[in-house]
Amino acid sequence: MKLLGMMLPLLVSLSLLSGCGEKEKFIVYGSPENEKEVEAILKEQDFVDKTTVIQYDNSMLVAVQIKPWDKWKKKKLEKKLQKKFDEKYPNKDVFVSTDYKIFYEANKIKKDQVEDNKLKDKIKKLKKLAKEET
């Protein structure tokens, strides 16, 4: 009985922590106009591990982390996801990247809560960074 009394708080805290981890897998920053639709598109892709989506004006940056077993097909999966977003949002300028440096910088923008007037410049720099060969 003593053992159960000691283990119960540990089990409760672990279950709470595991529930919090799931929420952080899909982050949408900027205008929340179609947050649920974007999240639904990303959740139906079994190769997506984590994402950060930044929406601004009439544009959207989708930074995606691919699950480890699918990393060999990153470019193919990136094109597949880009096509899905282009079909769903034909009037938006959508940029999808599976590059970790883009994902990292997108999270940094979210964390720093960059203002709208600076957001456009930051996104332009990220797109330019994505096109660089490393």
Side-chain angles (χ1 to χ4, degrees), residues 120-134:
K120 198 170 195 169
D121 293 333
K122 290 265 189 191
I123 299 303
K124 280 184 185 179
K125 286 180 185 177
L126 282 181
K127 286 182 178 181
K128 190 175 179 181
L129 182 66
K131 291 179 181 169
E132 287 180 7
E133 294 286 328
T134 55

Side-chain angles (χ1 to χ4, degrees), residues 14-84:
L14 284 176
S15 66
L16 288 174
L17 286 175
S18 67
C20 294
E22 184 67 31
K23 185 173 171 93
E24 290 297 314
K25 286 188 172 206
F26 301 99
I27 299 170
V28 179
Y29 179 71
S31 63
E33 64 191 47
N34 50 9
E35 185 175 345
K36 296 293 180 193
E37 291 174 354
V38 170
E39 197 170 315
I41 291 171
L42 293 167
K43 281 185 177 180
E44 71 185 24
Q45 307 303 316
D46 61 340
F47 57 86
V48 172
D49 190 28
K50 296 178 183 177
T51 62
T52 298
V53 179
I54 299 176
Q55 297 187 51
Y56 60 99
D57 293 339
N58 207 20
S59 302
M60 187 185 314
L61 171 81
V62 182
V64 179
Q65 282 289 258
I66 302 295
K67 290 187 179 176
W69 289 105
D70 294 318
K71 72 179 182 179
W72 309 109
K73 304 180 278 183
K74 268 171 64 165
K75 287 298 171 190
K76 181 180 172 187
L77 297 174
E78 182 179 297
K79 287 179 184 177
K80 177 182 175 183
L81 204 51
Q82 180 74 49
K83 185 178 176 185
K84 268 205 180 292

